[in-house]
Amino acid sequence: MCQVEEDYRGEMERAAAPSVSKKCVKCKEAPAALVIRAGDAYCRLCFKDFFIHKFKAVLGKNRIIFPGEKVLLAVSGGPSSCSMLRQVQEGLSQKANKKLRFVPGVAFIDEGAAIGQSVEERQRTVAELQAVFQATGFPFYILPLEQVLDLPASVVATNPSPSEQPASAYKAAVHHFVETDGSNFPRPQEPKKTLLPRVQESHTLMLQQLLGSVKTLTAREELLNTLRQHLLVHTARTEGYSKLMLGDSCTRLAVKLLTSISLGRGAQLAQDTGFSDSRYGDIILVRPMRDYSAKEVAYYNHLFTVPYVVIPSVDTKTVDKASIQRLTESFVTKLQTDFPSTVSTIYRTSEKLQTACRKRSGADGCDRCLLCLCSLDTAVEEASAFQATLISDQLSGSKCLRGSAAETLRPGRPESPPPTAQCCSSAEGRGCGRAGSDGGCCSSAKLPETTRLKSLLCYSCALTVRDMSTVNHLPQYILSEAQRRQRRSQMREEISDFLLDDGDEGN
């Protein structure tokens, strides 16, 4: 038994710090150049082989990208996305052992307007990244964030997903690619010399007004992430790409998982952190860097001189408690310092998450969130935590969810305007056009915009909209799609007595 007066100082020894003087754990010959984890010391060449093999293995394991497909790489200029770009470049080179078989393109979104950068600063950043992109030989697209204001409404409409391929289709496609040596597949185009496209000053002002209407940094970061994805998906569709490759690392996804839980996105965790995300239907989001920690990426970039550009963001030089995202990142990184298995434990949890597939009620996408396009998580039973939250907010006098919100978000009760708010136009399917420049109806303009949007949003996106002083600054394509869904919901409510239920279709 332990005694009070016993002295353990002579017996307890401090754990020896990992030393780079030991041999490589793989080749057993060369001295180790780095230590990833305790007991995992690699030499320079073995670490490079390990890093490249992991990237190709995750693509080969999932078999989502078929030979000859066009894949758009979303590169932000940071370490992880630039490391992903280097992996694709290495995999397509002639000396690669197992070559990648897709046709890549690169997209970069310039968010200088969101942080108030001048045109000269934005041009300087674009010039640095343009030099990196030109060295790859891939076609690239420089996208100012202001372009999100001119997107069509089809961006937030769910497109039909391609039919599922049988398990043997991938092997057949690879066999055909090997036989033809890829001669029948499209080749990457020559990159064009493109600087930052000219942006109208009015668009920059409108974007700054939109972000300025968001009261909290947490909601501003969520809104920026949503707009960024909309612009990337639209670019992929217009340029003929079927896959969108993101550079989220394991550390970033661990922070994102905890952040999403804090923001009420528990129902969307599998899509937000999984390897593939098919919420947009025809465009599938892929995260091949999710097996790499930030430490591994930093070592690889340093040892093999991978160029990247340090670009400030909306949370640069902010305190830890400035936003939920910033606080979660600080918590995870500090905990990882003392407990090295923190990130991997959170990451393994995210691998086990799955989203229950819900049967879609129609092709209009009204059962999906207007902003993130995930399935709505507000159609729940009355005896649920969500309804309890609504009642609690109502009783506490919250400004976000008023007395009518509990009725609006209940299942089977789509939001519809009061009887006096009928459209004054006799034309079917369109408004009178007197609600402003958007061509809506004058009667619909009488309703509060925030209240009308709530039934179209998931719980997390509703919290983001709640933190906005006004929704009138939202891009026009979002407001137009909201009006379309409202009209269809009202029409469905009017003809609900004449519709057959799913159970009556077989009778």
Side-chain angles (χ1 to χ4, degrees):
M1 296 179 62
C2 299
Q3 301 295 328
V4 177
E5 298 179 356
E6 288 186 7
D7 186 8
Y8 296 95
R9 287 177 294 180
E11 301 178 6
M12 296 179 62
E13 295 182 0
R14 196 165 191 169
S19 174
V20 296
S21 61
K22 61 177 63 176
K23 298 295 182 179
C24 174
V25 296
K26 187 175 181 180
C27 65
K28 310 295 184 181
E29 297 178 358
L34 57 100
V35 178
I36 301 178
R37 291 172 295 272
D40 290 346
Y42 289 89
C43 65
R44 190 173 184 271
L45 293 180
C46 290
F47 175 69
K48 182 178 182 180
D49 295 339
F50 161 78
F51 200 91
I52 295 176
H53 172 74
K54 186 187 290 189
F55 185 83
K56 294 180 179 179
V58 70
L59 293 179
K61 174 184 176 182
N62 292 274
R63 297 186 175 183
I64 290 181
I65 302 177
F66 277 60
E69 274 193 303
K70 297 183 67 176
V71 180
L72 185 63
L73 311 180
V75 179
S76 64
S80 183
S81 60
C82 287
S83 178
M84 177 184 68
L85 179 62
R86 172 62 68 88
Q87 295 307 302
V88 175
Q89 187 179 3
E90 292 279 350
L92 291 174
S93 63
Q94 296 295 333
K95 59 182 180 180
N97 186 16
K98 295 182 179 179
K99 295 183 60 176
L100 300 177
R101 302 183 178 96
F102 56 82
V103 181
V106 184
F108 166 72
I109 297 181
D110 173 50
E111 303 178 9
I115 58 177
Q117 284 187 334
S118 62
V119 178
E120 292 75 14
E121 292 175 332
R122 298 174 65 180
Q123 290 282 11
R124 193 181 308 116
T125 301
V126 169
E128 293 180 23
L129 282 171
Q130 183 176 348
V132 176
F133 298 157
Q134 285 181 340
T136 63
F138 305 150
F140 60 91
Y141 310 92
I142 306 297
L143 310 172
L145 188 59
E146 290 90 335
Q147 289 185 2
V148 79
L149 301 175
D150 297 328
L151 296 182
S154 59
V155 175
V156 288
T158 305
N159 290 359
S161 57
S163 58
E164 294 187 1
Q165 301 273 0
S168 59
Y170 183 84
K171 293 183 178 179
V174 173
H175 182 69
H176 178 68
F177 182 89
V178 173
E179 284 186 346
T180 59
D181 197 20
S183 57
N184 296 334
F185 295 101
R187 298 294 181 181
Q189 302 174 357
E190 291 295 329
K192 301 178 181 179
K193 293 184 179 181
T194 307
L195 289 177
L196 181 67
R198 186 175 183 83
V199 179
Q200 298 181 8
E201 188 176 351
S202 59
H203 282 57
T204 303
L205 181 61
M206 291 172 60
L207 180 63
Q208 292 175 350
Q209 288 178 346
L210 168 61
L211 299 177
S213 65
V214 184
K215 302 175 184 177
T216 62
L217 181 59
T218 299
R220 191 177 300 119
E221 290 188 43
E222 286 296 303
L223 181 60
L224 266 176
N225 181 62
T226 300
L227 298 178
R228 190 185 302 119
Q229 280 200 1
H230 289 175
L231 184 55
L232 288 172
V233 169
H234 174 71
T235 304
R237 284 174 178 164
T238 55
E239 300 297 335
Y241 293 90
S242 58
K243 301 294 189 299
L244 180 60
M245 192 174 286
L246 306 178
D248 296 328
S249 64
C250 175
T251 307
R252 177 57 56 189
L253 290 178
V255 173
K256 192 174 185 179
L257 185 141
L258 296 182
T259 301
S260 298
I261 294 176
S262 304
L263 296 177
R265 294 190 61 84
Q268 296 84 15
L269 282 179
Q271 293 172 301
D272 290 343
T273 62
F275 174 78
S276 62
D277 182 1
S278 58
R279 73 181 72 178
Y280 294 100
D282 56 337
I283 304 297
I284 298 180
L285 278 61
V286 184
R287 302 180 180 92
M289 299 295 293
R290 69 190 305 266
D291 287 342
Y292 297 96
S293 66
K295 183 178 181 181
E296 292 174 336
V297 172
Y299 273 139
Y300 182 84
N301 293 349
H302 174 72
L303 291 176
F304 304 101
T305 61
V306 177
Y308 62 91
V309 181
V310 179
I311 303 176
S313 59
V314 291
D315 62 345
T316 301
K317 295 183 179 181
T318 58
V319 296
D320 292 347
K321 298 181 180 180
S323 66
I324 294 179
Q325 296 90 338
R326 187 76 178 84
L327 182 62
T328 307
E329 181 181 5
S330 175
F331 169 74
V332 172
T333 52
K334 291 180 180 178
L335 195 62
Q336 174 73 12
T337 304
D338 297 329
F339 302 94
S341 61
T342 298
V343 170
S344 60
T345 302
I346 301 174
Y347 168 73
R348 285 195 300 268
T349 303
S350 67
E351 284 187 324
K352 303 174 183 178
L353 298 175
Q354 292 182 354
T355 301
C357 297
R358 300 179 181 178
K359 186 176 180 181
R360 295 188 59 185
S361 58
D364 53 1
C366 292
D367 58 343
R368 292 182 176 270
C369 177
L370 179 64
L371 293 182
C372 68
L373 267 72
C374 291
S375 298
L376 289 177
D377 55 357
T378 54
V380 295
E381 299 177 356
E382 295 191 13
S384 62
F386 175 69
Q387 294 295 340
T389 303
L390 295 181
I391 297 175
S392 177
D393 287 341
Q394 178 183 355
L395 294 178
S396 61
S398 177
K399 298 181 181 179
C400 61
L401 298 173
R402 300 176 183 177
S404 60
E407 297 295 330
T408 300
L409 294 175
R410 284 180 184 172
R413 296 187 182 182
E415 183 182 10
S416 59
T420 58
Q422 298 295 330
C423 181
C424 57
S425 174
S426 59
E428 298 181 1
R430 62 176 185 268
C432 62
R434 294 203 296 267
S437 59
D438 56 356
C441 177
C442 61
S443 60
S444 63
K446 300 176 184 178
L447 296 175
E449 290 287 345
T450 306
T451 303
R452 292 194 300 156
L453 284 176
K454 284 178 182 176
S455 62
L456 307 176
L457 302 174
C458 64
Y459 178 73
S460 178
C461 293
L463 294 181
T464 300
V465 172
R466 182 191 69 176
D467 288 338
M468 297 180 64
S469 58
T470 175
V471 297
N472 296 328
H473 294 310
L474 285 173
Q476 187 58 40
Y477 71 94
I478 296 179
L479 300 178
S480 300
E481 178 65 15
Q483 292 179 359
R484 186 191 72 84
R485 294 191 184 185
Q486 290 285 349
R487 290 194 297 265
R488 293 187 66 90
S489 178
Q490 181 180 354
M491 184 186 303
R492 182 178 294 274
E493 180 71 13
E494 293 174 353
I495 64 175
S496 59
D497 296 337
F498 305 96
L499 297 177
L500 294 176
D501 296 333
D502 294 339
D504 299 336
E505 293 180 357
N507 299 333

